[in-house]
Every structure is written in structure tokens, then in C-alpha cells.
Amino acid sequence: MTHTVIAVGREAPFKEIVALMGQWKVSALPVLAGEGRVIGVVSEADLLPKEEFRDSDPSHFDELRRLLDLAKAGGVTAGEVMSAPAVTVHPDATLPQAARIMARRHVKRLPVTDVHGLLQGVVSRSDLLKVFLRTDGELAEEVTRTVTAVLFPDGGVTVAVESGVVTLGGTIRDKSLLPLVVRLTRAVEGVVDVRFDLAGPGQAPPR
């Protein structure tokens, strides 16, 4: 996560929010109260209704269907336009957990809060993608140390990594271990895919 976070208070004016987003090139800002407790998030999507409804006269159907957006269109402070409660994540959440929350809740940034709801940082989509910058050598070392050396201590299974794709080679005596091997290897942060070049006992590895 990013520990340096730009946030606003509940009373932050609309134009200040827009200016901060532009200055810091972020799409959303946590809204804080008290000593740093996250009470909401104001995003570009929360600000757009003001422009969308600026010169329009919504129909009665649209008024009923988009009451929240119409209310935000009239908002002038962070507290009036923010989405609340905020979608947050705890510091001990795994990257896959954070990614699933982002996907399911359709958000680009997640405030990271402690057990008291106090802001600790922010994790963004770009933060989650940084794991794929790990080198092939780093991935090979971790897969070997945490997966193959544990499940195949005899050293019969080799690990090769190219562009983040892990290829497991050699001989495996118990094919029932394959699903576990795949799951554990995919769980290594930065692995793009898992492939096999494995043979059973008495078989030469396939070419």
C-alpha cells in the first residue's frame, strides 16, 4: 500500500476536492473525521453528477431512479457527495483479497484502515499490479523454497520461470499432488501462470 495518503475532511469544498485530485493525479480521496477515522470516500464518480445534471431537467422516472445522484449533484462539500460507508481493507489482507474487493465493489482505490477505522494508507490497482514486476529469478527461488522443496524434498521436480510463467519439470510420483502444486504455485505473488513438463515413475519427461 501507499502510506502517504491525500485525504479531506467532511467540510472540504467541492472545488478543493477537484483540485486535489488533479494535483495528486488520484481518482478518489478518503474522507476523514476526528483523529483520522475513515467515514467515506469521494471519487470522480461522486463528483460527476454535478456536471451531468447541471443543465438538464430530469424526468420524474429519472428522479426516482437516481435520487442519490441527484442529491450529490446539489452537494458542495465532501460530506455531501461522498460514498459512505467507505469500502476499506485491513493491513493484513492479502493482495488477492484486496483485488476481489475492488472487482466486486467496482472501486479503483481502497483505504487501508486499522481495527479502529483509522487510516493507515491506500492500496490502488497499480499497487496490486506491482507484484508482477518481480524478476523470474525471485519467483523461481520462492516457488522452489515454499512449494517444490516442501512437497518434493528428493529434488525430483525442477522449477523454471520465464516472463512470470512457471514451468515445473522432472518426475512426480504422486499425480494427486498436482492440484495442490498448482494452487500453491499460483499463490506466489507475481506468478502469471503455471505449466508442466512432468512425467510419472518410469516415464521420461515429455519433450
Side-chain angles (χ1 to χ4, degrees), residues 163-200:
S163 299
V165 178
V166 178
T167 299
L168 301 174
T171 301
I172 180 171
R173 296 184 178 279
D174 186 354
K175 293 289 187 180
S176 67
L177 289 175
L178 286 179
L180 177 60
V181 174
V182 172
R183 186 166 68 251
L184 293 177
T185 303
R186 287 191 191 280
V188 173
E189 293 179 354
V191 169
V192 175
D193 197 8
V194 183
R195 298 176 181 174
F196 295 102
D197 188 12
L198 294 168

PDB file of all heavy atoms in Angstrom, residues 163-200:
ATOM      1  N   SER A 163       9.236 -14.928 -18.013  1.00  0.00           N
ATOM      2  CA  SER A 163       8.198 -13.885 -18.096  1.00  0.00           C
ATOM      3  C   SER A 163       7.079 -14.123 -17.099  1.00  0.00           C
ATOM      4  O   SER A 163       5.901 -13.883 -17.386  1.00  0.00           O
ATOM      5  CB  SER A 163       7.636 -13.797 -19.520  1.00  0.00           C
ATOM      6  OG  SER A 163       8.649 -13.448 -20.436  1.00  0.00           O
ATOM      7  N   GLY A 164       7.427 -14.639 -15.932  1.00  0.00           N
ATOM      8  CA  GLY A 164       6.449 -14.867 -14.884  1.00  0.00           C
ATOM      9  C   GLY A 164       5.704 -16.180 -14.977  1.00  0.00           C
ATOM     10  O   GLY A 164       4.936 -16.527 -14.074  1.00  0.00           O
ATOM     11  N   VAL A 165       5.913 -16.930 -16.055  1.00  0.00           N
ATOM     12  CA  VAL A 165       5.252 -18.229 -16.236  1.00  0.00           C
ATOM     13  C   VAL A 165       6.145 -19.320 -15.665  1.00  0.00           C
ATOM     14  O   VAL A 165       7.295 -19.492 -16.098  1.00  0.00           O
ATOM     15  CB  VAL A 165       4.956 -18.507 -17.721  1.00  0.00           C
ATOM     16  CG1 VAL A 165       4.318 -19.892 -17.882  1.00  0.00           C
ATOM     17  CG2 VAL A 165       4.044 -17.429 -18.290  1.00  0.00           C
ATOM     18  N   VAL A 166       5.624 -20.067 -14.687  1.00  0.00           N
ATOM     19  CA  VAL A 166       6.382 -21.111 -14.010  1.00  0.00           C
ATOM     20  C   VAL A 166       6.175 -22.447 -14.717  1.00  0.00           C
ATOM     21  O   VAL A 166       5.031 -22.852 -14.948  1.00  0.00           O
ATOM     22  CB  VAL A 166       5.953 -21.246 -12.535  1.00  0.00           C
ATOM     23  CG1 VAL A 166       6.715 -22.385 -11.854  1.00  0.00           C
ATOM     24  CG2 VAL A 166       6.181 -19.932 -11.802  1.00  0.00           C
ATOM     25  N   THR A 167       7.265 -23.113 -15.054  1.00  0.00           N
ATOM     26  CA  THR A 167       7.190 -24.458 -15.628  1.00  0.00           C
ATOM     27  C   THR A 167       7.844 -25.431 -14.651  1.00  0.00           C
ATOM     28  O   THR A 167       9.005 -25.265 -14.274  1.00  0.00           O
ATOM     29  CB  THR A 167       7.910 -24.538 -16.986  1.00  0.00           C
ATOM     30  OG1 THR A 167       7.279 -23.639 -17.905  1.00  0.00           O
ATOM     31  CG2 THR A 167       7.820 -25.954 -17.540  1.00  0.00           C
ATOM     32  N   LEU A 168       7.069 -26.427 -14.238  1.00  0.00           N
ATOM     33  CA  LEU A 168       7.557 -27.460 -13.328  1.00  0.00           C
ATOM     34  C   LEU A 168       7.943 -28.682 -14.151  1.00  0.00           C
ATOM     35  O   LEU A 168       7.136 -29.202 -14.924  1.00  0.00           O
ATOM     36  CB  LEU A 168       6.473 -27.822 -12.315  1.00  0.00           C
ATOM     37  CG  LEU A 168       5.970 -26.652 -11.450  1.00  0.00           C
ATOM     38  CD1 LEU A 168       4.805 -27.100 -10.584  1.00  0.00           C
ATOM     39  CD2 LEU A 168       7.086 -26.094 -10.585  1.00  0.00           C
ATOM     40  N   GLY A 169       9.179 -29.133 -14.015  1.00  0.00           N
ATOM     41  CA  GLY A 169       9.652 -30.267 -14.791  1.00  0.00           C
ATOM     42  C   GLY A 169      10.169 -31.389 -13.910  1.00  0.00           C
ATOM     43  O   GLY A 169      10.199 -31.276 -12.683  1.00  0.00           O
ATOM     44  N   GLY A 170      10.557 -32.496 -14.551  1.00  0.00           N
ATOM     45  CA  GLY A 170      11.097 -33.627 -13.814  1.00  0.00           C
ATOM     46  C   GLY A 170      10.088 -34.743 -13.664  1.00  0.00           C
ATOM     47  O   GLY A 170       9.221 -34.943 -14.513  1.00  0.00           O
ATOM     48  N   THR A 171      10.192 -35.454 -12.565  1.00  0.00           N
ATOM     49  CA  THR A 171       9.348 -36.627 -12.333  1.00  0.00           C
ATOM     50  C   THR A 171       8.564 -36.454 -11.037  1.00  0.00           C
ATOM     51  O   THR A 171       9.123 -36.077 -10.011  1.00  0.00           O
ATOM     52  CB  THR A 171      10.201 -37.895 -12.225  1.00  0.00           C
ATOM     53  OG1 THR A 171      10.947 -38.065 -13.432  1.00  0.00           O
ATOM     54  CG2 THR A 171       9.321 -39.115 -11.999  1.00  0.00           C
ATOM     55  N   ILE A 172       7.272 -36.751 -11.096  1.00  0.00           N
ATOM     56  CA  ILE A 172       6.427 -36.694  -9.910  1.00  0.00           C
ATOM     57  C   ILE A 172       5.802 -38.070  -9.699  1.00  0.00           C
ATOM     58  O   ILE A 172       5.210 -38.644 -10.614  1.00  0.00           O
ATOM     59  CB  ILE A 172       5.343 -35.597 -10.051  1.00  0.00           C
ATOM     60  CG1 ILE A 172       4.467 -35.554  -8.802  1.00  0.00           C
ATOM     61  CG2 ILE A 172       4.506 -35.795 -11.304  1.00  0.00           C
ATOM     62  CD1 ILE A 172       3.522 -34.368  -8.770  1.00  0.00           C
ATOM     63  N   ARG A 173       5.974 -38.624  -8.505  1.00  0.00           N
ATOM     64  CA  ARG A 173       5.489 -39.976  -8.230  1.00  0.00           C
ATOM     65  C   ARG A 173       3.994 -40.009  -7.914  1.00  0.00           C
ATOM     66  O   ARG A 173       3.316 -40.974  -8.221  1.00  0.00           O
ATOM     67  CB  ARG A 173       6.284 -40.581  -7.069  1.00  0.00           C
ATOM     68  CG  ARG A 173       7.764 -40.759  -7.379  1.00  0.00           C
ATOM     69  CD  ARG A 173       8.501 -41.451  -6.246  1.00  0.00           C
ATOM     70  NE  ARG A 173       9.904 -41.660  -6.594  1.00  0.00           N
ATOM     71  CZ  ARG A 173      10.336 -42.651  -7.345  1.00  0.00           C
ATOM     72  NH1 ARG A 173       9.485 -43.541  -7.821  1.00  0.00           N
ATOM     73  NH2 ARG A 173      11.634 -42.767  -7.615  1.00  0.00           N
ATOM     74  N   ASP A 174       3.500 -38.952  -7.309  1.00  0.00           N
ATOM     75  CA  ASP A 174       2.100 -38.942  -6.891  1.00  0.00           C
ATOM     76  C   ASP A 174       1.353 -37.843  -7.644  1.00  0.00           C
ATOM     77  O   ASP A 174       1.410 -36.677  -7.288  1.00  0.00           O
ATOM     78  CB  ASP A 174       2.012 -38.707  -5.381  1.00  0.00           C
ATOM     79  CG  ASP A 174       0.592 -38.838  -4.848  1.00  0.00           C
ATOM     80  OD1 ASP A 174      -0.333 -39.005  -5.668  1.00  0.00           O
ATOM     81  OD2 ASP A 174       0.421 -38.756  -3.620  1.00  0.00           O
ATOM     82  N   LYS A 175       0.633 -38.230  -8.711  1.00  0.00           N
ATOM     83  CA  LYS A 175      -0.078 -37.254  -9.532  1.00  0.00           C
ATOM     84  C   LYS A 175      -1.198 -36.552  -8.769  1.00  0.00           C
ATOM     85  O   LYS A 175      -1.644 -35.482  -9.176  1.00  0.00           O
ATOM     86  CB  LYS A 175      -0.669 -37.950 -10.763  1.00  0.00           C
ATOM     87  CG  LYS A 175       0.364 -38.475 -11.749  1.00  0.00           C
ATOM     88  CD  LYS A 175       1.055 -37.352 -12.495  1.00  0.00           C
ATOM     89  CE  LYS A 175       1.949 -37.896 -13.595  1.00  0.00           C
ATOM     90  NZ  LYS A 175       2.649 -36.829 -14.344  1.00  0.00           N
ATOM     91  N   SER A 176      -1.640 -37.130  -7.669  1.00  0.00           N
ATOM     92  CA  SER A 176      -2.718 -36.497  -6.908  1.00  0.00           C
ATOM     93  C   SER A 176      -2.260 -35.180  -6.280  1.00  0.00           C
ATOM     94  O   SER A 176      -3.080 -34.379  -5.830  1.00  0.00           O
ATOM     95  CB  SER A 176      -3.232 -37.444  -5.815  1.00  0.00           C
ATOM     96  OG  SER A 176      -2.244 -37.663  -4.825  1.00  0.00           O
ATOM     97  N   LEU A 177      -0.940 -34.972  -6.241  1.00  0.00           N
ATOM     98  CA  LEU A 177      -0.415 -33.734  -5.668  1.00  0.00           C
ATOM     99  C   LEU A 177      -0.497 -32.555  -6.632  1.00  0.00           C
ATOM    100  O   LEU A 177      -0.307 -31.402  -6.220  1.00  0.00           O
ATOM    101  CB  LEU A 177       1.046 -33.932  -5.241  1.00  0.00           C
ATOM    102  CG  LEU A 177       1.297 -34.820  -4.023  1.00  0.00           C
ATOM    103  CD1 LEU A 177       2.792 -35.003  -3.818  1.00  0.00           C
ATOM    104  CD2 LEU A 177       0.664 -34.202  -2.784  1.00  0.00           C
ATOM    105  N   LEU A 178      -0.782 -32.831  -7.914  1.00  0.00           N
ATOM    106  CA  LEU A 178      -0.756 -31.761  -8.908  1.00  0.00           C
ATOM    107  C   LEU A 178      -1.686 -30.592  -8.573  1.00  0.00           C
ATOM    108  O   LEU A 178      -1.274 -29.432  -8.683  1.00  0.00           O
ATOM    109  CB  LEU A 178      -1.086 -32.325 -10.297  1.00  0.00           C
ATOM    110  CG  LEU A 178       0.030 -33.136 -10.951  1.00  0.00           C
ATOM    111  CD1 LEU A 178      -0.429 -33.656 -12.309  1.00  0.00           C
ATOM    112  CD2 LEU A 178       1.278 -32.289 -11.114  1.00  0.00           C
ATOM    113  N   PRO A 179      -2.955 -30.827  -8.196  1.00  0.00           N
ATOM    114  CA  PRO A 179      -3.824 -29.671  -7.873  1.00  0.00           C
ATOM    115  C   PRO A 179      -3.256 -28.811  -6.744  1.00  0.00           C
ATOM    116  O   PRO A 179      -3.343 -27.580  -6.787  1.00  0.00           O
ATOM    117  CB  PRO A 179      -5.147 -30.327  -7.458  1.00  0.00           C
ATOM    118  CG  PRO A 179      -5.143 -31.655  -8.144  1.00  0.00           C
ATOM    119  CD  PRO A 179      -3.713 -32.095  -8.133  1.00  0.00           C
ATOM    120  N   LEU A 180      -2.642 -29.467  -5.756  1.00  0.00           N
ATOM    121  CA  LEU A 180      -2.048 -28.722  -4.649  1.00  0.00           C
ATOM    122  C   LEU A 180      -0.843 -27.916  -5.127  1.00  0.00           C
ATOM    123  O   LEU A 180      -0.663 -26.751  -4.735  1.00  0.00           O
ATOM    124  CB  LEU A 180      -1.620 -29.680  -3.541  1.00  0.00           C
ATOM    125  CG  LEU A 180      -0.917 -29.057  -2.324  1.00  0.00           C
ATOM    126  CD1 LEU A 180      -1.829 -28.048  -1.645  1.00  0.00           C
ATOM    127  CD2 LEU A 180      -0.472 -30.145  -1.353  1.00  0.00           C
ATOM    128  N   VAL A 181      -0.033 -28.538  -5.987  1.00  0.00           N
ATOM    129  CA  VAL A 181       1.128 -27.836  -6.525  1.00  0.00           C
ATOM    130  C   VAL A 181       0.697 -26.592  -7.290  1.00  0.00           C
ATOM    131  O   VAL A 181       1.278 -25.514  -7.140  1.00  0.00           O
ATOM    132  CB  VAL A 181       1.947 -28.770  -7.445  1.00  0.00           C
ATOM    133  CG1 VAL A 181       3.083 -27.994  -8.114  1.00  0.00           C
ATOM    134  CG2 VAL A 181       2.500 -29.935  -6.656  1.00  0.00           C
ATOM    135  N   VAL A 182      -0.327 -26.735  -8.112  1.00  0.00           N
ATOM    136  CA  VAL A 182      -0.826 -25.599  -8.896  1.00  0.00           C
ATOM    137  C   VAL A 182      -1.313 -24.492  -7.981  1.00  0.00           C
ATOM    138  O   VAL A 182      -0.984 -23.314  -8.155  1.00  0.00           O
ATOM    139  CB  VAL A 182      -1.959 -26.042  -9.846  1.00  0.00           C
ATOM    140  CG1 VAL A 182      -2.598 -24.828 -10.515  1.00  0.00           C
ATOM    141  CG2 VAL A 182      -1.418 -26.991 -10.903  1.00  0.00           C
ATOM    142  N   ARG A 183      -2.111 -24.863  -6.986  1.00  0.00           N
ATOM    143  CA  ARG A 183      -2.689 -23.857  -6.077  1.00  0.00           C
ATOM    144  C   ARG A 183      -1.599 -23.099  -5.323  1.00  0.00           C
ATOM    145  O   ARG A 183      -1.642 -21.866  -5.216  1.00  0.00           O
ATOM    146  CB  ARG A 183      -3.659 -24.521  -5.110  1.00  0.00           C
ATOM    147  CG  ARG A 183      -4.408 -23.527  -4.225  1.00  0.00           C
ATOM    148  CD  ARG A 183      -5.592 -24.180  -3.536  1.00  0.00           C
ATOM    149  NE  ARG A 183      -5.179 -25.164  -2.548  1.00  0.00           N
ATOM    150  CZ  ARG A 183      -5.321 -26.475  -2.702  1.00  0.00           C
ATOM    151  NH1 ARG A 183      -5.859 -26.962  -3.797  1.00  0.00           N
ATOM    152  NH2 ARG A 183      -4.920 -27.308  -1.751  1.00  0.00           N
ATOM    153  N   LEU A 184      -0.625 -23.838  -4.806  1.00  0.00           N
ATOM    154  CA  LEU A 184       0.438 -23.188  -4.034  1.00  0.00           C
ATOM    155  C   LEU A 184       1.338 -22.333  -4.921  1.00  0.00           C
ATOM    156  O   LEU A 184       1.797 -21.259  -4.504  1.00  0.00           O
ATOM    157  CB  LEU A 184       1.275 -24.243  -3.311  1.00  0.00           C
ATOM    158  CG  LEU A 184       0.564 -25.017  -2.196  1.00  0.00           C
ATOM    159  CD1 LEU A 184       1.483 -26.079  -1.616  1.00  0.00           C
ATOM    160  CD2 LEU A 184       0.079 -24.077  -1.095  1.00  0.00           C
ATOM    161  N   THR A 185       1.590 -22.799  -6.139  1.00  0.00           N
ATOM    162  CA  THR A 185       2.446 -22.027  -7.044  1.00  0.00           C
ATOM    163  C   THR A 185       1.746 -20.756  -7.500  1.00  0.00           C
ATOM    164  O   THR A 185       2.354 -19.683  -7.546  1.00  0.00           O
ATOM    165  CB  THR A 185       2.855 -22.882  -8.257  1.00  0.00           C
ATOM    166  OG1 THR A 185       3.509 -24.071  -7.799  1.00  0.00           O
ATOM    167  CG2 THR A 185       3.798 -22.118  -9.171  1.00  0.00           C
ATOM    168  N   ARG A 186       0.473 -20.858  -7.830  1.00  0.00           N
ATOM    169  CA  ARG A 186      -0.283 -19.663  -8.233  1.00  0.00           C
ATOM    170  C   ARG A 186      -0.378 -18.659  -7.091  1.00  0.00           C
ATOM    171  O   ARG A 186      -0.525 -17.454  -7.333  1.00  0.00           O
ATOM    172  CB  ARG A 186      -1.692 -20.048  -8.675  1.00  0.00           C
ATOM    173  CG  ARG A 186      -1.777 -20.735 -10.014  1.00  0.00           C
ATOM    174  CD  ARG A 186      -3.226 -20.823 -10.484  1.00  0.00           C
ATOM    175  NE  ARG A 186      -3.377 -21.700 -11.623  1.00  0.00           N
ATOM    176  CZ  ARG A 186      -3.093 -21.345 -12.880  1.00  0.00           C
ATOM    177  NH1 ARG A 186      -2.636 -20.140 -13.117  1.00  0.00           N
ATOM    178  NH2 ARG A 186      -3.252 -22.207 -13.862  1.00  0.00           N
ATOM    179  N   ALA A 187      -0.304 -19.130  -5.857  1.00  0.00           N
ATOM    180  CA  ALA A 187      -0.425 -18.243  -4.700  1.00  0.00           C
ATOM    181  C   ALA A 187       0.823 -17.390  -4.488  1.00  0.00           C
ATOM    182  O   ALA A 187       0.787 -16.415  -3.741  1.00  0.00           O
ATOM    183  CB  ALA A 187      -0.713 -19.060  -3.438  1.00  0.00           C
ATOM    184  N   VAL A 188       1.916 -17.747  -5.151  1.00  0.00           N
ATOM    185  CA  VAL A 188       3.139 -16.943  -5.038  1.00  0.00           C
ATOM    186  C   VAL A 188       2.919 -15.634  -5.785  1.00  0.00           C
ATOM    187  O   VAL A 188       2.598 -15.633  -6.981  1.00  0.00           O
ATOM    188  CB  VAL A 188       4.350 -17.699  -5.607  1.00  0.00           C
ATOM    189  CG1 VAL A 188       5.580 -16.793  -5.639  1.00  0.00           C
ATOM    190  CG2 VAL A 188       4.628 -18.946  -4.770  1.00  0.00           C
ATOM    191  N   GLU A 189       3.077 -14.515  -5.102  1.00  0.00           N
ATOM    192  CA  GLU A 189       2.791 -13.215  -5.692  1.00  0.00           C
ATOM    193  C   GLU A 189       3.715 -12.936  -6.868  1.00  0.00           C
ATOM    194  O   GLU A 189       4.933 -13.021  -6.747  1.00  0.00           O
ATOM    195  CB  GLU A 189       2.927 -12.119  -4.639  1.00  0.00           C
ATOM    196  CG  GLU A 189       1.862 -12.217  -3.552  1.00  0.00           C
ATOM    197  CD  GLU A 189       2.010 -11.143  -2.503  1.00  0.00           C
ATOM    198  OE1 GLU A 189       3.010 -10.385  -2.557  1.00  0.00           O
ATOM    199  OE2 GLU A 189       1.144 -11.045  -1.616  1.00  0.00           O
ATOM    200  N   GLY A 190       3.115 -12.631  -8.014  1.00  0.00           N
ATOM    201  CA  GLY A 190       3.883 -12.330  -9.212  1.00  0.00           C
ATOM    202  C   GLY A 190       3.849 -13.426 -10.251  1.00  0.00           C
ATOM    203  O   GLY A 190       4.266 -13.204 -11.399  1.00  0.00           O
ATOM    204  N   VAL A 191       3.349 -14.616  -9.891  1.00  0.00           N
ATOM    205  CA  VAL A 191       3.258 -15.714 -10.855  1.00  0.00           C
ATOM    206  C   VAL A 191       2.129 -15.431 -11.840  1.00  0.00           C
ATOM    207  O   VAL A 191       0.997 -15.138 -11.449  1.00  0.00           O
ATOM    208  CB  VAL A 191       3.026 -17.063 -10.143  1.00  0.00           C
ATOM    209  CG1 VAL A 191       2.651 -18.160 -11.148  1.00  0.00           C
ATOM    210  CG2 VAL A 191       4.280 -17.459  -9.369  1.00  0.00           C
ATOM    211  N   VAL A 192       2.437 -15.519 -13.130  1.00  0.00           N
ATOM    212  CA  VAL A 192       1.460 -15.245 -14.178  1.00  0.00           C
ATOM    213  C   VAL A 192       0.668 -16.496 -14.534  1.00  0.00           C
ATOM    214  O   VAL A 192      -0.545 -16.457 -14.715  1.00  0.00           O
ATOM    215  CB  VAL A 192       2.163 -14.683 -15.435  1.00  0.00           C
ATOM    216  CG1 VAL A 192       1.174 -14.513 -16.587  1.00  0.00           C
ATOM    217  CG2 VAL A 192       2.836 -13.350 -15.096  1.00  0.00           C
ATOM    218  N   ASP A 193       1.361 -17.640 -14.631  1.00  0.00           N
ATOM    219  CA  ASP A 193       0.698 -18.895 -14.974  1.00  0.00           C
ATOM    220  C   ASP A 193       1.596 -20.052 -14.552  1.00  0.00           C
ATOM    221  O   ASP A 193       2.777 -19.863 -14.239  1.00  0.00           O
ATOM    222  CB  ASP A 193       0.419 -18.966 -16.476  1.00  0.00           C
ATOM    223  CG  ASP A 193      -0.617 -20.019 -16.839  1.00  0.00           C
ATOM    224  OD1 ASP A 193      -1.235 -20.586 -15.906  1.00  0.00           O
ATOM    225  OD2 ASP A 193      -0.816 -20.281 -18.038  1.00  0.00           O
ATOM    226  N   VAL A 194       1.019 -21.261 -14.536  1.00  0.00           N
ATOM    227  CA  VAL A 194       1.767 -22.467 -14.160  1.00  0.00           C
ATOM    228  C   VAL A 194       1.609 -23.500 -15.263  1.00  0.00           C
ATOM    229  O   VAL A 194       0.482 -23.782 -15.698  1.00  0.00           O
ATOM    230  CB  VAL A 194       1.257 -23.056 -12.827  1.00  0.00           C
ATOM    231  CG1 VAL A 194       2.108 -24.263 -12.437  1.00  0.00           C
ATOM    232  CG2 VAL A 194       1.279 -22.009 -11.733  1.00  0.00           C
ATOM    233  N   ARG A 195       2.733 -24.072 -15.693  1.00  0.00           N
ATOM    234  CA  ARG A 195       2.723 -25.112 -16.718  1.00  0.00           C
ATOM    235  C   ARG A 195       3.550 -26.306 -16.250  1.00  0.00           C
ATOM    236  O   ARG A 195       4.314 -26.196 -15.300  1.00  0.00           O
ATOM    237  CB  ARG A 195       3.267 -24.560 -18.042  1.00  0.00           C
ATOM    238  CG  ARG A 195       2.406 -23.425 -18.601  1.00  0.00           C
ATOM    239  CD  ARG A 195       2.978 -22.811 -19.846  1.00  0.00           C
ATOM    240  NE  ARG A 195       2.142 -21.717 -20.325  1.00  0.00           N
ATOM    241  CZ  ARG A 195       2.465 -20.919 -21.333  1.00  0.00           C
ATOM    242  NH1 ARG A 195       3.610 -21.095 -21.982  1.00  0.00           N
ATOM    243  NH2 ARG A 195       1.648 -19.945 -21.691  1.00  0.00           N
ATOM    244  N   PHE A 196       3.349 -27.444 -16.953  1.00  0.00           N
ATOM    245  CA  PHE A 196       4.001 -28.676 -16.517  1.00  0.00           C
ATOM    246  C   PHE A 196       4.811 -29.311 -17.635  1.00  0.00           C
ATOM    247  O   PHE A 196       4.435 -29.258 -18.806  1.00  0.00           O
ATOM    248  CB  PHE A 196       2.945 -29.694 -16.042  1.00  0.00           C
ATOM    249  CG  PHE A 196       2.196 -29.252 -14.832  1.00  0.00           C
ATOM    250  CD1 PHE A 196       0.913 -28.748 -14.947  1.00  0.00           C
ATOM    251  CD2 PHE A 196       2.766 -29.333 -13.567  1.00  0.00           C
ATOM    252  CE1 PHE A 196       0.216 -28.333 -13.841  1.00  0.00           C
ATOM    253  CE2 PHE A 196       2.073 -28.909 -12.453  1.00  0.00           C
ATOM    254  CZ  PHE A 196       0.802 -28.422 -12.593  1.00  0.00           C
ATOM    255  N   ASP A 197       5.919 -29.901 -17.253  1.00  0.00           N
ATOM    256  CA  ASP A 197       6.709 -30.776 -18.117  1.00  0.00           C
ATOM    257  C   ASP A 197       7.125 -31.951 -17.249  1.00  0.00           C
ATOM    258  O   ASP A 197       8.304 -32.219 -17.035  1.00  0.00           O
ATOM    259  CB  ASP A 197       7.925 -30.037 -18.670  1.00  0.00           C
ATOM    260  CG  ASP A 197       8.667 -30.855 -19.736  1.00  0.00           C
ATOM    261  OD1 ASP A 197       8.097 -31.868 -20.181  1.00  0.00           O
ATOM    262  OD2 ASP A 197       9.799 -30.486 -20.070  1.00  0.00           O
ATOM    263  N   LEU A 198       6.076 -32.631 -16.702  1.00  0.00           N
ATOM    264  CA  LEU A 198       6.293 -33.668 -15.693  1.00  0.00           C
ATOM    265  C   LEU A 198       5.988 -35.052 -16.233  1.00  0.00           C
ATOM    266  O   LEU A 198       5.134 -35.224 -17.106  1.00  0.00           O
ATOM    267  CB  LEU A 198       5.389 -33.401 -14.466  1.00  0.00           C
ATOM    268  CG  LEU A 198       5.685 -32.139 -13.669  1.00  0.00           C
ATOM    269  CD1 LEU A 198       4.553 -31.858 -12.707  1.00  0.00           C
ATOM    270  CD2 LEU A 198       7.005 -32.299 -12.915  1.00  0.00           C
ATOM    271  N   ALA A 199       6.686 -36.028 -15.683  1.00  0.00           N
ATOM    272  CA  ALA A 199       6.441 -37.426 -16.023  1.00  0.00           C
ATOM    273  C   ALA A 199       6.200 -38.221 -14.756  1.00  0.00           C
ATOM    274  O   ALA A 199       6.636 -37.830 -13.675  1.00  0.00           O
ATOM    275  CB  ALA A 199       7.636 -38.007 -16.785  1.00  0.00           C
ATOM    276  N   GLY A 200       5.502 -39.350 -14.880  1.00  0.00           N
ATOM    277  CA  GLY A 200       5.304 -40.234 -13.756  1.00  0.00           C
ATOM    278  C   GLY A 200       6.468 -41.202 -13.638  1.00  0.00           C
ATOM    279  O   GLY A 200       7.396 -41.198 -14.453  1.00  0.00           O
TER     280      GLY A 200
END
